[in-house]
Amino acid sequence: MRWTLKPKPSHKKVHLLAAELNVSELIATLLVQRGVETFDHARQFFRPSLDDLHNPYLMKDMDKAVNRIETAIENGENILVFGDYDVDGTTAVSLVSSYLKSYYPNVATYIPDRYDEGYGISYKGIDFADDNGFTLIIALDCGIKSIEHIAYAKEKSIDFIICDHHRPGNILPNAVAILDPKRGDCSYPYDELCGCGIGFKLTQALGENRKQTIDDLLIYLDLVATAIAADIVPMTGENRILAKFGLEVINTNPRPGIKALIKNVKKKVLTITDVVFIIAPRINAAGRIKHGNEAVALLTEYDLDQAEKFASEIEQHNSERKDLDKQITIEALDQIELNGEEGKFTTVVYDENWHKGVIGIVASRLTETYYRPTIVFTKSGDKLAASARSVKDFDVYNALEACAEHLEQFGGHMYAAGMTLKEENYIVFKNAFEKEVEKTISPDLLIPEISVDAEIELSDINEKLIRILNQFEPFGPQNMTPVFMTKGVKDTGYAKGIGQNEEHIKLFVKQSRSFGSSEGFGAIGFGLGNKLELTKNQNPFDMAFCIDENEFNGNVTVQLRLKDLI
């Protein structure tokens, strides 16, 4: 593990901002590191407002999309809302379909089968639309590279509106409208929306025709916040606004489907982290184990009793998913050792029997043991399908692009991607990917990094600091939970291993210079059981940590969540 202390911002900027906001220079430093440098920007950061959402018509083709939908409604056409089977796709389909159905009945949904059809727009889905008299398909969280599929639909007199957030290729599909802020010719002010976020912008634009304000659309923000959390998009700009107000909906008036999912959660107020680890995996489990339609049924159900039945079924899928990813991870690690590939620049593994629904999770798990770009393949029909995961600061999409001659298709982001290839090309691709990563990755990127925001003294931790840090939420990429470093810390003799195999540690720490005083904090380190020896005999050590509040029996205390000790 390597610790990297973020560069200190300009002292002049920090000093001015601290004075303007009447906060400590530590808080001002954290803000400037996040690109917040002025009073107005700080106001937007600490007080996100729905008024700061951009005009949806600034997105290229939004006018065309709205006009085509209004024409379909006027003519009584059947509209099919199509989306991917992951959280972003199913929430987007739930949002757009339930919005349209609120005033127009001829709307249906379609989620492709992960195993039979694979990711994105499918010929089977287009045939379904043709057989059932749909003349307009709204594709969400997919479609930006589906040139041949859109052409196929055109032959059947089916129009497409694409709402996607993935990178476009050199050629765009021949759709009626393509809403994607990552288009080179789109000047929309924010290009980090997720698929559900773009679906929301479409409903925002449609709502203007019905004299609806943003307040009328608040009920959909629980879906948007869930998608933002699950898709790990930057927690900046519009995403921050939508996530904040979406979290408020989740915590005060969630739709029955989400209410059913969080029924047994004991926390009073859920955070984005809770959405990532509690709500999102369960929605994902439907598409991974059974079918994404189950997630849409849950998220669009208005009867709480029925929603609880759906949630119970999804809970079973999630338990099965956990067992599968645990077992496949063990098998994949065994394969790496058997092949003597521990020292490579990449992990590329394959087994035809691995469950396609969990290979993305397994890829993430493998990076915890071998920290390097990772691809997990399984059999899918007559081809192999895979999920890729990267490491911090390495663009796996670019690496795949360099190996594209061996792939049938691929798509994704800097840190996560999916692909298919012919089985006979597996070994040649595996070797090409290894060579490409070896050639382009900086060696230090293969060592897990803890990015430290600032070095502080334990005495800097007080109620005001914690109160302001809480207002940095919601956390996510480009606004991660601040990580601090403190040097010369000692345990007071409380240190112990906890957990079944003592894989975690619990400490009570003080800084050496104030060791005789009563000042100190409880600290917990998950997965740091191997560091227990460092803390014994009152030996001084340095620690990297986040500041948490721990609630127990109604009492709230400060607890340091340790990231590492040296």
Side-chain angles (χ1 to χ4, degrees), residues 65-353:
V66 170
N67 290 339
R68 181 62 186 90
I69 292 168
E70 298 294 9
T71 300
I73 291 170
E74 206 174 293
N75 296 337
E77 295 177 57
N78 294 330
I79 301 172
L80 188 64
V81 183
F82 187 110
D84 191 22
Y85 39 68
D86 68 0
V87 176
D88 195 15
T90 53
T91 53
V93 166
S94 301
L95 189 158
V96 173
S97 66
S98 57
Y99 176 75
L100 289 174
K101 282 180 181 177
S102 70
Y103 59 88
Y104 182 64
N106 301 358
V107 178
T109 62
Y110 191 97
I111 304 288
D113 185 280
R114 183 187 283 265
Y115 307 102
D116 182 33
E117 298 164 78
Y119 165 79
I121 295 167
S122 65
Y123 291 115
K124 190 172 180 179
I126 295 167
D127 288 342
F128 171 87
D130 187 38
D131 293 343
N132 291 279
F134 291 94
T135 48
L136 175 62
I137 298 177
I138 302 171
L140 295 144
D141 190 35
C142 59
I144 196 65
K145 286 187 166 183
S146 301
I147 294 161
E148 291 170 8
H149 292 88
I150 307 294
Y152 178 73
K154 207 87 172 163
E155 289 169 13
K156 296 178 178 292
S157 301
I158 298 170
D159 285 339
F160 259 93
I161 293 169
I162 293 171
C163 305
D164 206 347
H165 69 120
H166 298 98
R167 296 188 205 177
N170 294 328
I171 302 168
L172 294 176
N174 186 21
V176 169
I178 300 174
L179 307 179
D180 187 340
K182 290 192 174 73
R183 285 177 64 166
D185 59 350
C186 180
S187 57
Y188 190 74
Y190 188 70
D191 65 359
E192 296 293 354
L193 291 166
C194 61
C196 188
I198 292 169
F200 180 76
K201 298 306 292 188
L202 176 60
T203 61
Q204 204 184 337
L206 288 164
E208 287 188 15
N209 287 0
R210 284 162 184 78
K211 303 290 185 279
Q212 291 174 318
T213 68
I214 195 69
D215 292 334
D216 298 310
L217 303 176
L218 283 178
I219 56 169
Y220 301 103
L221 290 186
D222 52 356
L223 294 171
V224 183
T226 300
I228 287 169
D231 228 49
I232 320 178
V233 288
M235 196 61 75
T236 57
E238 281 193 308
N239 283 341
R240 182 171 170 80
I241 298 168
L242 294 168
K244 180 185 184 293
F245 286 93
L247 270 175
E248 285 183 10
V249 176
I250 289 171
N251 282 309
T252 56
N253 187 30
R255 65 194 48 240
I258 288 179
K259 193 172 188 178
L261 284 178
I262 60 178
K263 183 181 176 184
N264 297 320
V265 177
K266 292 180 173 60
K267 285 184 76 174
K268 288 177 186 169
V269 179
L270 298 187
T271 66
I272 278 289
T273 304
D274 297 318
V275 175
V276 170
F277 289 106
I278 297 169
I279 299 175
R282 284 161 174 79
I283 295 172
N284 246 334
R288 291 186 189 282
I289 303 301
K290 195 78 179 283
H291 199 289
N293 285 335
E294 291 194 13
V296 174
L298 172 74
L299 295 172
T300 55
E301 179 56 59
Y302 290 101
D303 179 75
L304 184 58
D305 289 339
Q306 185 59 47
E308 286 180 352
K309 286 177 190 169
F310 287 149
S312 175
E313 289 167 18
I314 281 177
E315 191 64 47
Q316 289 172 16
H317 298 329
N318 195 45
S319 295
E320 188 180 339
R321 186 271 305 167
K322 286 179 183 175
D323 293 341
L324 278 168
D325 82 58
K326 191 175 180 183
Q327 180 57 36
I328 293 170
T329 300
I330 291 167
E331 291 175 17
L333 289 169
D334 288 345
Q335 190 179 119
I336 292 165
E337 286 185 28
L338 195 66
N339 293 339
E341 294 173 340
E342 297 96 328
K344 290 202 160 207
F345 286 85
T346 64
T347 294
V348 180
V349 288
Y350 162 58
D351 189 297
E352 64 178 20
N353 297 314

Side-chain angles (χ1 to χ4, degrees), residues 37-51:
E37 298 184 0
T38 65
F39 182 88
D40 284 343
H41 198 167
R43 179 192 55 77
Q44 289 177 341
F45 182 81
F46 286 120
R47 303 284 181 271
S49 168
L50 293 166
D51 294 336

Side-chain angles (χ1 to χ4, degrees), residues 10-21 23 25 28 32:
S10 147
H11 184 262
K12 186 180 177 184
K13 283 182 183 176
V14 169
H15 187 71
L16 281 171
L17 190 62
E20 266 194 295
L21 301 179
V23 295
E25 293 209 348
V32 175

Side-chain angles (χ1 to χ4, degrees), residues 409-434:
Q409 62 181 61
F410 71 98
H413 307 282
M414 179 173 178
Y415 291 121
M419 73 212 75
T420 57
L421 53 67
K422 292 177 180 171
E423 188 163 7
E424 59 265 30
N425 289 336
Y426 171 69
I427 294 298
V428 69
F429 166 77
K430 179 172 176 169
N431 293 335
F433 185 67
E434 170 73 14

